[in-house]
Every structure is written in C-alpha cells, then in structure tokens.
Amino acid sequence: MSLKTWSFVQARLLALVAAAAVLWACNPVVHRFDRTTVAASLAKGNDAALVIGEFPLMKVTDGDTIRVAGLDASMRLLGLDTEETFKRKSEYMEFDKGWERYLAEAQAKTKSPVKIPTPMGEEAKKFAEAFFKGVRTVRLERDHPKEIRDFYNRYLAYVFVEKDGKTYNYNVECVRAGMSPYFSKYGYSRRFHKEFVAAQEEARAAKRGIWDPNKQHYTDYDRRLEWWNRRGDFIQAFELQAADHPNWIVLTHWDAIERLQSRVGREVVILGAIGDIRETAGPTKVLLSRRRTGSLPLIFFDKDVLARSGAIEHRGEFVVARGVLTKYFNKYKKQDELQIVVTTPGQIQHEVLAPAAPAEEAADVPKDTTQEPGAKEPGPEDTAQPAAADAGDAPAEPRDNDAAEREDSLAPPGAAD
C-alpha cells in the first residue's frame, strides 16, 4: 500500500470514528432497565442496590416528572410534590374566572387538599427545564434497597446531575428553590432527610416559590405538612422497631410477599395503608394496599370488631396489622393467597387523626378495583373458609401516568418488583 493510499485510509478511518462519536452523542446507547436488571442490582447488596443507574435524559414533563430512556416504567421523584401544570383548555377557562374563585371552587369539590393546575405549577416546570438545560445524562438512585416501585408501578428515584464540576440532587434543589414542599406523605427520606428539611427551611425563610405570599399557589401547606409529617413519624417508628423483629414486615418492600409466605401459620406484624374496603354477604375485607393489582386482605367476620378497630375511619392511612397469616383459595385466580383474620380490635393499630382533617385522606385513596368478568362478591356459601375468594387481585388495565400523578395516591410508595 502506497503512502498516499495509507494516508487516505487513515483519513477515512478518522472520519468514521468522528461520525460515530457524533452519532453516539446525539443517540447514546440505551441500556434497558427492567426486572432482570433489578434482580441483579439487589443481589449485589444494599449499597449497590441503591443505584438504579445512569440514563439519557429525554424530557422534562413538569416540576416533579422527567423522562429517561431505558426504564421499563415511569418514575416518581422522591420527596417532591410540585403543583400541577395546565394541560387542557377547560383548565385555563376555569382559571380565567379569577384566582380566588378558581381555588375556592376547586376546594369545594373535595375534602382533601386540592390538586389542581396553578401558575406555581408552571413556574416549577420552568425551573426544572432550566435546571436540566444542557444535561444529557442523569443518575438515578433509590432511597431504600427494598423500596423499588410505587402503587402505580413507577420507579422511586432521586435524580443526580453533574453541573459545573459539582453533583446536585435535583429533588433537594427543587425544594430549596421553593418549587415543592418536602413531601413526606409516604415516609421521610432515609438518606437525605436533613438536607430536605434544611432546604425547605431555607426556601421558606427566603419566601421562594410556594412560600411567597404574593404568588398564586396552594394556600394550605402548613396543613399538608402537618398531615404528611404525622404519617412520616408513624412509618419511621415502625421501621425502627422492625429492624429487631424478623416477623415485622413493611408490605411495600420488594421481598414482603416472600417473607410472608415463609411465615404462614405464624403471627406477623405488618405496616400497610388501608385501600379499598369491601362489604360482602359474609365477611368485610379491608385491603392493605401493595400494588394496583394486588393487596393483602384483612378479614373481619364481626361487624362490631370492624367498627371498633377504626379501620373504616382510617381508610387511606397507614396502620399496623397484627395477626396469624393463613391461606385461602381464590377460586377466580385458582391459586392460594394470603390473608389475616381479625378477631379483636386491638389487632389494628393506627395513628391519631388530626381533629382539623378527620376525613381529608379518604377522597384520593386508589381503589383496588380490578375484577374478572362475571366475578361476584361471595355469599354465605363461601364463608365456611376463613375468607371468601374474590377476583379483586386480577390484572388491571395499565393506568395513565398523568392520572396517577394527579390522583397522588395514598397507597404506600414502594412495592415488590
């Protein structure tokens, strides 16, 4: 090969390498993250399991929602709950009636704190867009190695980015900017609690974002924080005690069902949130939320025990249920499933509800509404076994993520993968 030919070949090779580099920069390799990847990361131990991975950033949807390439599901950003953005013409029309009227009419429709589009929601989205401008790759991490997904199957994550030679936790910085309160509704951050608290205090003192009285945003954050922190305290107290008791189980942990299966016939103590409550001709079924397609039923044959347990009043709240695990045969799914039969009110322990908001939580509890065609609630003939079978845990239709975010379910945050 002549020198001229060799020079030409080298030039072509360099051109191809450069083109490949540009192509990768525009379209980075996307490594899929799915159940297999989850299992592999969990097998490496707790520290390694906290890291979900690095992913190309695809889109900023709003203040607490981003999209990345490679995940097999959407995400819920931990510790954040920014206000909603306007997505429909009808929402703008309602807002055009005037801020005070718009807020009052929305609040009149629910006993829960409102979840509506606001100018503050739009500002939070602009903050996120500015924060992630120029960022091509983000690192996602968990708060707890066993808390992987939420009730709606979304990954639970902190988002880290590298900017100007520094690493930033977007979740904390969003709170520091006043775009969101420290959202502890499903429990305090185990890794960054102090950072979140400090960021919120800084934003509040500086009257940034939601803490600015001159901006149009929700006006009841003190009430929300009192409620969320009360729940956070309850969850934290259970987790501290559970560390020394192998039969104390957080229902949302990925290995909860496996641990429960190994304790059939023995007493367990379970932390979960009360979701749907089903009255039947026989027992009443109080479902502890786990995933949208599956819950753990607490079975009440005695209506007086149900009334005195406080389960109905605490729908949507976290409770601690104690009892002996048994199995029953679900004739619709044709498989054995777990349950706890409650015979005394003391088997259900719960926090004291704040007098100012005794029923605010009930309105936005996600119901486990899945039911196979033709399925019915059991009649008296089905009550000979500890609990009547039902089709309540049949597969559900996929839920739109925006709807899930708007509902902001009271179901617990994590669930087994």
Side-chain angles (χ1 to χ4, degrees), residues 142-203:
R142 299 188 183 95
D143 185 53
H144 188 286
K146 292 187 178 183
E147 294 283 2
I148 298 175
R149 301 180 190 240
D150 72 355
F151 187 83
Y152 294 112
N153 206 40
R154 296 173 294 187
Y155 283 105
L156 302 165
Y158 296 115
V159 182
F160 293 88
V161 301
E162 299 290 335
K163 298 177 66 175
D164 304 322
K166 296 181 179 179
T167 301
Y168 293 91
N169 181 336
Y170 172 73
N171 304 49
V172 172
E173 296 308 314
C174 188
V175 172
R176 191 189 315 280
M179 298 297 110
S180 170
Y182 172 22
F183 189 56
S184 58
K185 186 176 178 183
Y186 303 117
Y188 296 123
S189 170
R190 300 169 185 86
R191 298 177 60 192
F192 304 107
H193 176 69
K194 291 182 179 179
E195 289 88 341
F196 274 117
V197 170
Q200 180 166 268
E201 290 176 350
E202 179 182 325

Side-chain angles (χ1 to χ4, degrees), residues 18 23 26 35 47 106 117 138 165 175 210 212 217 228 232 236 263 298 326 340 358 374 398 410:
L23 182 62
C26 297
R35 291 172 181 268
D47 290 340
V138 297
V175 172
I210 61 173
D212 185 343
H217 51 68
W228 300 341
Q236 185 180 67
R263 288 173 170 77
L298 305 178
T326 58
I340 292 178
L410 289 184

